[in-house]
Structures are given as structure tokens and as C-alpha cells.
Amino acid sequence: MDALDSALKIEERLVMKATLAHIPLGGTFELLPLCNMNCHMCFIRLSREEMDLRGSLRSVEEWLEIARQMKESGTLFVLLTGGEPFLYPGFLDLYQGLKKLGMIITINTNGTLITPQIAAALGKDKPRRVNITLYGASNQTYERLCHYPNGFDQTCKGIELLLEQKIDIKLNGTIVPENVHEIDALFEIAKHYGLYIKMDTYMYPSSRERLHPFHPESRLSPKEAAQAALKIKKHQMSQEEYTAYQNHMLNHPSLPNQDSSIQCRAGKSAFWINWYGDMTSCIFMKKPGINVFENGFEKSWKYLLENTSKIQLTGCLSCTKKSVCQVCAACMYCECGCFDQKPDYMCQYTDELIKQLEDMK
Amino acid sequence: MKKTKEFILRQIADEYLLIPTGQTCEEFNGMITLSETAAYIYEHLEEAESFEKLIEMITQEYEIDPKTAASDAYELLNGMLKNGLIGLSDPKVNW
Ligand code: SF4
Ligand code: SF4
Ligand code: SF4
């Protein structure tokens, strides 16, 4: 059994045990809302002035103190994100401090600010992985979508610097109207670098931090999103896997699901802390939320556990497509603002997937 | 015996894990799991000045007879030596 295989098995086992025992195994530090890019659909980014109106960034020492408390409670995996985490003052000090605590770290970044110095520092004491979001396959798309003209070239440079240091990279792509024509090109880039790319076509309509509401035109229509999703699947799956997927989607078991509790790890073994310290079960949900810097980690985790378990997702209870639908608590929360209504967009998206797969038969 | 690699020992749920840090991340991708006794041995091997002393420490900590402790510890230490996790601190006495 190779090392990776066994590491994955250990991880799966840990996740299962932690979820059952309510151990906060994995957490995210959303270090700051600032970003050098400014993407249409972003729900976290604030300008410095907007940020100053809300509060100020927490220091490296404040985050490390929370991390020490997290360690006591059993946290092993920490995701560092933003905004753009490499803009966080003292990022490397925090990173190294977390490593010394025995945390396994992943970093989410847009990749444009990775310098040779940052890459070398990460290379000396490697993260488990760096996730780089690709917003397009050309500078033109970066300009239109992210208002950052040389973003594509800079991201490629960042990828190359990390690869030189033999750092594990995963590419993520969010497919939106501005880059939907570049799906093939995105796969080509991943292939060129020998990297795995995960692409999402469903966008949560969140406006979490921003002062304006979510713009519906910043995402694909359910029909376009389903088309794009199937195109992506064709890239990723062998013919056999695709046929199996098609059969699964078309012959979906029709028993309505009676379990209305949250099905994922959110608030059971996973948590999220935003830049001003509100700890929630998932990036998209503002409630239940509690300030971890004011209440300490243990108390905050208990609060989250107790209140997340009260959430009942009743909106989809009678639906017979639940086994083929990717609806989750955050989707309901973002689409409807509550948990007892059907999220229309997701219903249409699921129907479209089924319809398009049927048409292909 | 001495530890030759940078690992941090963590206990999460009932699992004992060695998490690589620093240069050790280059060689070990992912974590290593240990049993409770193996974790105890890894944690304390630098305190013991000989194999016999280590066995004494183990039998004081756990309800285990010296013979079983010795054969378990022997196997574990050999495995760790082979994989470069530990090294001899005093080659003259083979410890
Ligand atoms: S790069 Fe990420 S954090 Fe920055 S604006 Fe775009 S979506 Fe938001
Ligand atoms: S986005 Fe959905 S699946 Fe993911 S953590 Fe949040 S609620 Fe769970
Ligand atoms: S979102 Fe719509 S299709 Fe999906 S499970 Fe809920 S009701 Fe069914």
C-alpha cells in the first residue's frame, strides 16, 4: 500500500471518528477580507475602507492562541484562506506557528501573489496542499471577471514556483458566464502542469460580507450550469464511469428522504472562523455563529455543536430526487434564507441535469 | 536511542498520530499511526538509557509482562530504525 493511500485511509477513519464523537477535526481561518483581485461573484472581499468600518484584522498571536485551544480540542486540519491569504500581514509566522503545533495545513489562494520567497519558505516546511483557484484560461478573462489584467500569467507563475518546490497543488475552477467558454482550456492547463482540477458550476448565491446583494447574473442559469457540469464530467470520467453516472442520475431511487438533519460535517467535526472571529459551521452560514476571540474555542465549539444539531432541513423532505441532488444546508440558506423551503435554482439545476442526460440516451 | 526526524505526536480520538514537520515533510507524505504503547515508546525512548530501562518504563506504565513488552518494543524499534525515524545515540552499546 503506498504512503498516500494509507494516509487517505487514516484520514477517512479520523474524519468518521471525529464526526461521530463531535471532535472539531478540521477548521478554516478566513484571515482577511482583502484581496488584490476583485471578482464579480465574490462574497467575502471588502475594500480596506469597508473592512475598517467592520473591524480590524486579528494578529498572528491571537490566531495562534485560538489554534492552541483548538489543538486541545482535537483539531488536526487547518485551512488558511481569505480574501487572499498571502496579503495577511505575518502570514508565514502564522503558518510556521501552526505547523509547530502539529496542524496539517492547506492554503486556498488565487496564486497571483506567490513570490520565490514565499514558495521557498513553504518548500522548507511543506503544507499538505495549496489549492489554487483558476478564474479563467486567459488574461482577458481575468480582466473581465476579476478586474486583474495580468492575473492569468501571474497565477501560472505562482503554480510554477510552487511546483519547483515540489509542493502539492490542486486547482479549483468556478465556472461563471465569463469563463464558461474556457472549460476545455482550463483542463488543458491542468494537464500541462500535471495537476488535478476540480470545477464547480453551481454557485451559492451568497452575499455574506458584501454590502450589496448577490447579482443573479453573476452565475450561470440552471440550464447552462447543468450543461457545463456534464461537459466537465465528460472530461473527468471514462466512458464507463459516465454511463454509470448517467444511469444513477436517471434511475434515482425514489424514496423520499426522511432525515432532515444536516448531512455534512459542518458543525459536527468542521468549523469556519471568519476574519473578525465569528465561528460558524460553514462558510456560507452566518448562524449559528459565536465570536471565538471573545468566548474561547471550547465554549464556541459547544455552542456550534448544540445549535447546528437543531437545524432541520425540511424544505426537501418530500422530494424523490434527493439522492441525485447536491442540495445542502448552505444551499437552502443562501437560496431561500431559511431551511424549510425548496431552493428553486437547485431544483431546476437538478431537473436540467436529468433532462439533458435523458436527451443524450 | 534518539529521534532523528521532526514529528509531532498527536492524539486525536483514540488514534495516535505522528505528524511530519519541517524537512521531514519531504520524506513522509501524510501521517503515521501508532498504537498507544508505540506512541508511549516513541515519546519516551530518549529518556531511557538502555533497552532494559525502556522495558522497565513500559511495564510500569502498562499492565504488560516484561517478555511481551520486550518483544513488542524490539519489533517497533527495529521498524523505526529501518525507516529512519530513530537512530542509535550510543553505538558502542547498540542503543
Ligand atoms: S480572488 Fe477569491 S477572494 Fe479575491 S476577489 Fe476573487 S473570489 Fe474573492
Ligand atoms: S457548503 Fe454545504 S456541504 Fe459544504 S459545509 Fe456548508 S453546508 Fe456542508
Ligand atoms: S433542491 Fe429541489 S430537487 Fe433538490 S432535493 Fe430539494 S426539492 Fe429536491
Side-chain angles (χ1 to χ4, degrees):
Chain A
M1 192 193 299
D2 68 19
L4 184 68
D5 189 25
S6 67
L8 286 177
K9 290 227 166 84
I10 299 171
E11 210 173 302
E12 270 171 30
R13 201 168 70 217
L14 272 175
V15 167
M16 206 175 72
K17 283 187 182 175
T19 305
L20 287 172
H22 294 165
I23 294 168
L25 187 69
T28 303
F29 286 176
E30 182 188 290
L31 297 172
L32 77 176
L34 303 175
C35 185
N36 56 316
M37 307 218 290
N38 191 359
C39 307
H40 274 165
M41 69 296 187
C42 185
F43 55 88
I44 290 178
R45 185 190 188 277
L46 297 176
S47 67
R48 190 167 284 274
E49 295 71 40
E50 287 168 333
M51 180 184 93
D52 288 342
L53 287 177
R54 299 256 167 121
S56 50
L57 296 183
R58 297 292 177 159
S59 68
V60 170
E61 192 34 54
E62 283 176 294
W63 283 112
L64 284 177
E65 175 48 33
I66 293 301
R68 285 188 274 273
Q69 297 173 25
M70 282 156 48
K71 181 177 178 177
E72 288 295 305
S73 301
T75 303
L76 178 61
F77 300 104
V78 177
L79 171 69
L80 297 176
T81 186
E84 173 45 47
F86 291 118
L87 282 178
Y88 176 75
F91 176 86
L92 287 174
D93 293 336
L94 175 62
Y95 174 78
Q96 281 147 5
L98 290 169
K99 291 282 297 198
K100 283 205 185 86
L101 286 174
M103 299 294 188
I104 296 181
I105 300 177
T106 303
I107 302 167
N108 269 6
T109 170
N110 63 35
T112 56
L113 299 178
I114 295 168
T115 59
Q117 291 75 16
I118 290 177
L122 294 178
K124 261 195 215 134
D125 191 353
K126 292 192 171 54
R128 171 202 198 204
R129 201 174 60 221
V130 177
N131 297 329
I132 296 186
T133 308
L134 271 184
Y135 291 93
S138 62
N139 280 328
Q140 291 86 321
T141 302
Y142 270 77
E143 180 162 13
R144 265 189 301 151
L145 177 61
C146 319
H147 305 105
Y148 203 71
N150 288 320
F152 179 67
D153 289 347
Q154 278 177 241
T155 307
C156 291
K157 185 85 203 133
I159 293 173
E160 286 156 22
L161 286 168
L162 294 180
L163 285 177
E164 275 168 29
Q165 297 290 336
K166 300 195 172 59
I167 291 172
D168 232 345
I169 302 176
K170 183 180 140 213
L171 300 175
N172 286 323
T174 303
I175 304 303
V176 290
E178 288 86 348
N179 63 17
V180 67
H181 62 289
E182 289 182 330
I183 291 177
D184 295 335
L186 286 167
F187 274 105
E188 276 307 310
I189 293 162
K191 199 167 143 202
H192 169 76
Y193 287 118
L195 298 172
Y196 174 76
I197 183 164
K198 175 175 178 286
M199 281 191 229
D200 284 325
T201 62
Y202 170 66
M203 181 184 293
Y204 294 82
S206 177
S207 60
R208 221 193 64 193
E209 298 304 306
R210 301 199 92 165
L211 305 169
H212 55 72
F214 176 77
H215 298 304
E217 67 279 10
S218 62
R219 66 176 169 179
L220 300 168
S221 70
K223 185 175 175 182
E224 292 161 338
Q227 258 159 5
L230 294 180
K231 183 169 187 176
I232 291 165
K233 292 241 182 284
K234 280 228 158 114
H235 268 284
Q236 288 169 326
M237 293 175 162
S238 65
Q239 188 52 49
E240 270 167 30
E241 286 166 337
Y242 194 82
T243 312
Y245 166 73
Q246 195 171 18
N247 288 338
H248 169 69
M249 291 296 287
L250 296 181
N251 308 321
H252 52 82
S254 56
L255 269 186
N257 193 332
Q258 292 304 321
D259 185 0
S260 57
S261 62
I262 287 190
Q263 298 295 312
C264 67
R265 296 164 49 207
K268 289 178 191 157
S269 63
F271 60 93
W272 187 279
I273 304 176
N274 69 20
W275 61 277
Y276 45 86
D278 272 2
M279 183 162 146
T280 56
S281 45
C282 153
I283 174 175
F284 296 109
M285 295 197 275
K286 278 191 173 177
K287 282 184 185 162
I290 178 167
N291 196 287
V292 72
F293 293 108
E294 284 160 23
N295 294 284
F297 184 79
E298 202 188 336
K299 182 175 162 198
S300 302
W301 177 243
K302 278 201 184 123
Y303 174 87
L304 217 56
L305 272 177
E306 193 186 322
N307 289 285
T308 309
S309 67
K310 287 183 193 154
I311 295 177
Q312 294 294 314
L313 310 175
T314 50
C316 300
L317 263 191
S318 58
C319 181
T320 55
K321 288 175 221 147
K322 206 153 174 211
S323 63
V324 294
C325 175
Q326 71 179 74
V327 65
C328 71
C331 165
M332 287 184 163
Y333 182 86
C334 295
E335 299 282 352
C336 321
C338 62
F339 299 111
D340 55 9
Q341 278 173 33
K342 285 182 186 180
D344 262 349
Y345 181 102
M346 184 52 84
C347 297
Q348 288 174 39
Y349 175 73
T350 307
D351 286 342
E352 271 297 331
L353 278 176
I354 294 172
K355 181 175 169 293
Q356 290 177 29
L357 284 165
E358 236 156 28
D359 293 347
M360 275 176 211
K361 270 235 147 168
Chain B
M1 286 290 176
K2 58 171 191 254
K3 296 174 193 163
T4 52
K5 294 281 183 281
E6 298 170 75
F7 280 107
I8 296 173
L9 179 66
R10 304 264 332 250
Q11 186 197 347
I12 291 166
D14 54 357
E15 301 270 357
Y16 292 83
L17 308 161
L18 288 180
I19 314 294
T21 66
Q23 287 300 322
T24 303
C25 296
E26 303 268 337
E27 300 158 64
F28 295 87
N29 187 354
M31 327 160 230
I32 296 174
T33 48
L34 299 175
S35 68
E36 188 180 346
T37 6
Y40 178 86
I41 294 173
Y42 182 78
E43 195 68 341
H44 295 89
L45 58 92
E46 290 185 345
E47 292 160 31
E49 60 267 21
S50 65
F51 185 72
E52 291 69 32
K53 183 74 196 145
L54 181 69
I55 303 308
E56 202 184 305
M57 285 163 68
I58 300 170
T59 48
Q60 267 164 24
E61 187 72 22
Y62 299 99
E63 276 183 28
I64 178 170
D65 67 280
K67 230 177 130 188
T68 320
S71 89
D72 287 357
Y74 181 79
E75 197 181 324
L76 177 78
L77 293 177
N78 256 335
M80 286 188 170
L81 272 170
K82 230 190 262 160
N83 287 295
L85 267 67
I86 57 174
L88 299 181
S89 53
D90 190 354
K92 270 183 268 154
V93 294
N94 229 0
W95 180 253

